[in-house]
Amino acid sequence: MRVAQEVYLAGVGSWLPDEVTTADAVASGWYEEADRTASGMLAVRVAGELPAPEMAVRAARTALRRAARTGITPDDYGALLHCATYHQGPDGWSAPHYVLHRTLDRPVGAAQVGPGCLGMLTALEMAAHRLAADDGKDAVLLTAADNFSAPLVDRWNSSRLFLLADGGAAAVVSRRDGFARLLSVGSVSAPSMEELHRGGEELFPPGITVGRSLNFEERSDHWRKRWAEGAAPPKVHLGDVVAEAVDRALVDADTDLEKVARICHTGYADGALHTIYLDPLDVEAAHGTWEFTRHIGHVGAADPFIGLERLWTRGEVAPGDRVLLLAAGPGMEVACAVVEITAPYLPAAGTDDGAGTESDNGTAPQEEDQ
């Protein structure tokens, strides 16, 4: 979707817990050395018992402080969209309203957005539509967070494509001004591939209600067995969906990949990152955020915005640079956005600016906008 009106990212923030190195995971017997070597991953962020919505709150406070420097106040927000890929708390309870209560604390709508790891980009498109349709409010707050420390999740072995990581991210979408202008945003889906994430599981009762773990490898093994027995494999490769989604976003942004300074992608392991994202686009890892994400892991829907914050706050992108945000999720669906950096990162004088991590380890500077 070409964004015809002026829509900006006025603020961005993240919060990441301390890391656990993959070497320590191997030494502890959680992770196989062969898998560690193949993945190229160096560390994963682990939050312990800190609830996912609380990480979203911490990330949001950073994004809101930064957005406030453009003149946006809590009364200017028309909605909050919260994204999650795993359970957030009690059934029948609203994580979005928990985040809303502890950030904006205004009587606006708050909703949870999926699907899966492309949720924040889906929410970004929804926010752009809202701002175009309703001129009564000038901003929308986006948040995302997950904690995979739950007993039914083995973050080290649930998938060979990635290591599940904990953390949160937030962004403020505004019609007024910001550090980056949104040029295009959209997605492409291949619904015939939805069964790949379903595997052999029944739809009812939901797996979590009968104690079934989150295990993508079991579902992949189901399909490998079926294909070996003669079942037809998918006719579509996810990499082709990635290429189509990116092509559409670039055309809508009136640009091309050669003019994109950096790509903020999902925090996949080395092989999957190349097969699904980099090789279909014919780009090198240095063009993306691999040297950062290999210290983080896959933080659900938050990944592209964690990457964008890192690039912007460290001066790795500058005004005039175009950045591609890219994620894929169940469905199968690929979403992407093109933004143009319009302002340099300038921390408030004499204060910390706040990327909100317990330890730096390659993340954005430990400062706090006030």
Side-chain angles (χ1 to χ4, degrees):
M1 177 186 81
R2 182 186 301 272
V3 181
Q5 298 185 358
E6 298 286 306
V7 176
Y8 295 89
L9 296 179
V12 65
S14 69
W15 194 88
L16 296 171
D18 285 336
E19 67 176 30
V20 174
T21 68
T22 52
D24 285 344
V26 170
S28 299
W30 305 329
Y31 197 36
E32 295 294 331
E33 176 61 37
D35 292 335
R36 174 180 181 268
T37 300
S39 74
M41 297 295 298
L42 300 178
V44 171
R45 301 303 178 103
V46 178
E49 296 183 353
L50 183 66
E54 182 58 32
M55 289 187 274
V57 168
R58 297 180 184 190
R61 288 173 177 166
T62 298
L64 290 169
R65 285 193 296 267
R66 289 170 174 166
R69 296 168 67 179
T70 69
I72 299 174
T73 71
D75 290 329
D76 294 318
Y77 289 82
L80 180 147
L81 301 176
H82 177 66
C83 310
T85 61
Y86 198 62
H87 302 281
Q88 299 284 291
D91 283 344
W93 167 79
S94 176
H97 289 86
Y98 177 96
V99 178
L100 178 64
H101 183 200
R102 286 155 178 78
T103 55
L104 299 173
D105 199 20
R106 295 296 188 273
V108 299
Q112 189 160 315
V113 177
C117 306
L118 52 79
M120 275 196 87
L121 292 175
T122 301
L124 177 60
E125 182 174 9
M126 294 172 67
H129 282 297
R130 180 186 176 90
L131 293 174
D134 179 10
D135 61 5
K137 298 289 185 179
D138 287 340
V140 177
L141 175 61
L142 313 182
T143 62
D146 278 295
N147 184 335
F148 295 103
S149 301
L152 290 178
V153 180
D154 179 355
R155 71 173 73 247
W156 304 101
N157 300 293
S158 66
S159 175
R160 289 192 175 90
L161 302 182
F162 46 76
L163 296 179
L164 291 167
D166 308 332
V172 173
V173 189
S174 167
R175 73 169 89 253
R176 292 186 186 175
D177 196 3
F179 72 92
R181 182 184 173 193
L182 181 62
L183 302 181
S184 68
V185 60
S187 63
V188 174
S189 72
S192 64
M193 298 174 72
E194 61 81 18
E195 61 187 0
L196 295 184
H197 276 97
R198 177 161 44 91
E201 290 188 23
E202 297 294 331
L203 299 184
F204 189 87
I208 189 68
T209 66
V210 293
R212 185 176 294 125
S213 65
L214 176 66
N215 194 318
F216 295 106
E217 280 305 306
E218 286 183 355
R219 300 173 194 179
S220 296
D221 287 343
H222 166 84
W223 285 111
R224 293 186 191 105
K225 181 179 179 180
R226 289 289 310 280
W227 296 333
E229 293 170 348
K235 297 180 180 179
V236 181
H237 187 277
L238 184 56
D240 296 331
V241 185
V242 168
E244 182 179 353
V246 171
D247 285 345
R248 289 189 187 183
L250 293 172
V251 169
D252 288 343
D254 194 24
T255 191
D256 53 54
L257 199 55
E258 288 72 26
K259 296 177 182 177
V260 170
R262 297 292 290 272
I263 300 172
C264 297
H265 49 68
T266 303
Y268 276 11
D270 186 39
L273 174 63
H274 281 81
T275 300
I276 296 173
Y277 288 117
L278 302 181
D279 291 350
L281 301 179
D282 194 24
V283 297
E284 300 296 326
H287 203 58
T289 50
W290 165 243
E291 289 304 322
F292 174 60
T293 59
R294 68 190 304 204
H295 292 270
I296 303 299
H298 179 24
V299 194
D303 286 347
F305 288 86
I306 292 173
L308 178 63
E309 184 198 33
R310 191 263 188 179
L311 295 179
W312 179 55
T313 57
R314 288 182 170 256
E316 295 186 37
V317 291
D321 285 342
R322 295 182 174 184
V323 180
L324 177 70
L325 310 180
L326 177 62
M332 304 281 283
E333 188 163 337
V334 177
C336 53
V338 179
V339 301
E340 182 175 349
I341 304 300
T342 55
Y345 171 70
L346 298 173
T351 65
D352 283 336
D353 168 36
T357 59
E358 289 190 351
S359 60
D360 189 21
N361 297 323
T363 58
Q366 291 297 292
E367 302 143 354
E368 177 131 18
D369 298 318
Q370 300 292 345

